[in-house]
Amino acid sequence: MDKYCFSYNQIHQTISKTADKILATNFEPDYILAIGAGGFIPARILRTYLKKPIITISIAYYDGEQATTAPKKLQWLDCIDISGKKILLVDEVDDTRATLAYCIQEILTHQPAEIAVFVLHNKHKPKKGAYPTVIKHIFVGEELSDKWIHYPWDALDIDKHDGRYNE
Ligand code: 5GP
């Protein structure tokens, strides 16, 4: 198997199990903060269990037509004050960790009370970014090896996608 392929059902099950772990801790977020676009659908499923409002930011890897290696803000926290609030930052995958590390540094400038992280999938590989020590809770749906992950929301043909789980 040189790649992973997850269905919506598998992802929902993973989030459900991880939500139970979040609910068992003393961390109760004020907001679920989804990193778009990959974090949007996981955040929405998580909301079903945590029952907290979702706010969003969007990150791009393109500067106009030009691909960039560093994440850039496409949309940010322009009309919400998160100072003193507990934030659960949500993304679909921790690959090099560059995106999460960048977002955390930038979000910290808004002085939230706390930031915790939820990632659906964490790839075991050397990371380019690190979690600052202020991050006390990191919730991971599944630990995976370093292979490409096909997500259902990227599928042009969802039936074909669902027919090739973990081939
Ligand atoms: P980072 O390297 O900053 O952790 O991940 C950057 C972004 O690359 C992720 O948010 C995700 O959108 C994309 N990405 C990284 N690895 C994968 C993968 O295996 N599958 C998909 N679909 N996207 C990925």
Side-chain angles (χ1 to χ4, degrees), residues 76-136:
W76 201 249
L77 298 162
D78 297 328
C79 55
I80 187 140
D81 181 6
I82 61 160
S83 63
K85 301 292 185 190
K86 284 185 272 175
I87 300 298
L88 179 59
L89 187 62
V90 174
D91 209 353
E92 90 277 45
V93 56
D94 176 353
D95 182 35
T96 67
R97 202 166 288 165
T99 306
L100 281 162
Y102 171 77
C103 289
I104 290 166
Q105 286 308 332
E106 294 294 312
I107 294 164
L108 282 172
T109 67
H110 296 259
Q111 290 159 346
E114 190 175 347
I115 305 176
V117 173
F118 168 93
V119 281
L120 184 56
H121 297 125
N122 177 45
K123 291 191 205 174
H124 279 198
K125 63 190 290 182
K127 303 290 184 180
K128 286 187 194 159
Y131 289 124
T133 52
V134 291
I135 307 293
K136 302 294 179 214

Side-chain angles (χ1 to χ4, degrees), residues 41-70:
I41 295 173
R44 177 59 188 86
I45 297 171
L46 203 50
R47 195 189 83 173
T48 298
Y49 299 97
L50 302 187
K51 304 191 186 333
K52 299 294 176 187
I54 298 176
I55 55 176
T56 63
I57 53 178
S58 282
I59 295 296
Y61 297 89
Y62 284 85
D63 197 354
E65 293 289 293
Q66 198 72 33
T68 61
T69 48

